[in-house]
Amino acid sequence: MTGRVVVIGVGNPLRGDDGAGPAVVEALRGRVPEDIVLAVSDGEPGRMLELWRGADTAVVVEALHLRPARPGGLHTLTATEAASRGTGTASTHALGLGECLALAEALDLLPRKVVVHAVEVAAVELGTGLSDPVRSALPELIERTSASVLEAREGNHQRQPSGGAPLP
């Protein structure tokens, strides 16, 4: 165990509400401890696997395109729940977060804990800016993500003795 916590905002700010993940990461800069890795990804599985390599906890922030849609609706999912949604993401790439998590699990490359915070989207067409429902949900999404980061960090510190070496 490394104690490493990574936050990955998945999405593309040039595709409307798909920019919610990157917006959360930007909002967390200066708000979470400096040892927390903050990254933005387009969700391509190889890059995602590399970003969370060696992490004990990965907190992923993603946009979901569900039917029926409830734009601005928030969800917190485990890796298993997110993987079961497969093609339910509003990703602008061929494979979604669900497929990426399933691949990581098959390759035994998942961090010990994965938390996915997601917001349901209204639109992911080309164009910048979040829709009103997603923009309204952003403060709560940021708060949930921040709480997951702090919980993971505290949990990692509690598992290490005072000398800093991980417990067996």
Side-chain angles (χ1 to χ4, degrees):
M1 267 188 273
T2 63
R4 186 170 176 248
V5 178
V6 177
V7 178
I8 305 171
V10 179
N12 182 343
L14 300 177
R15 294 193 68 91
D17 288 343
D18 197 38
V24 169
V25 167
E26 286 308 310
L28 290 177
R29 294 193 192 284
R31 182 174 173 170
V32 296
E34 290 183 16
D35 61 332
I36 304 300
V37 177
L38 298 173
V40 172
S41 174
D42 62 2
E44 192 279 322
R47 287 188 281 276
M48 293 286 288
L49 296 177
E50 187 59 35
L51 284 170
W52 68 45
R53 179 188 305 271
D56 281 328
T57 302
V59 180
V60 179
V61 186
E62 171 71 300
L64 290 178
H65 194 181
L66 301 178
R67 299 218 194 298
R70 191 175 52 98
L74 298 177
H75 303 268
T76 299
L77 309 167
T78 65
T80 302
E81 292 167 334
S84 73
R85 293 190 183 237
T87 58
T89 62
S91 302
T92 57
H93 43 275
L95 296 177
L97 179 61
E99 291 90 354
C100 180
L101 290 166
L103 175 64
E105 184 174 25
L107 297 173
D108 197 27
L109 296 175
L110 271 178
R112 183 184 54 76
K113 182 175 182 182
V114 176
V115 178
V116 179
H117 291 291
V119 61
E120 291 184 46
V121 299
V124 292
E125 291 80 28
L126 284 176
T128 57
L130 302 174
S131 66
D132 288 339
V134 171
R135 188 175 20 264
S136 294
L138 208 58
E140 177 64 21
L141 185 60
I142 293 164
E143 189 58 40
R144 289 182 183 195
T145 304
S146 180
S148 290
V149 167
L150 296 177
E151 179 182 311
R153 189 168 184 266
E154 288 172 11
N156 289 339
H157 282 82
Q158 290 174 359
R159 284 190 296 278
Q160 294 185 10
S162 59
L167 291 175

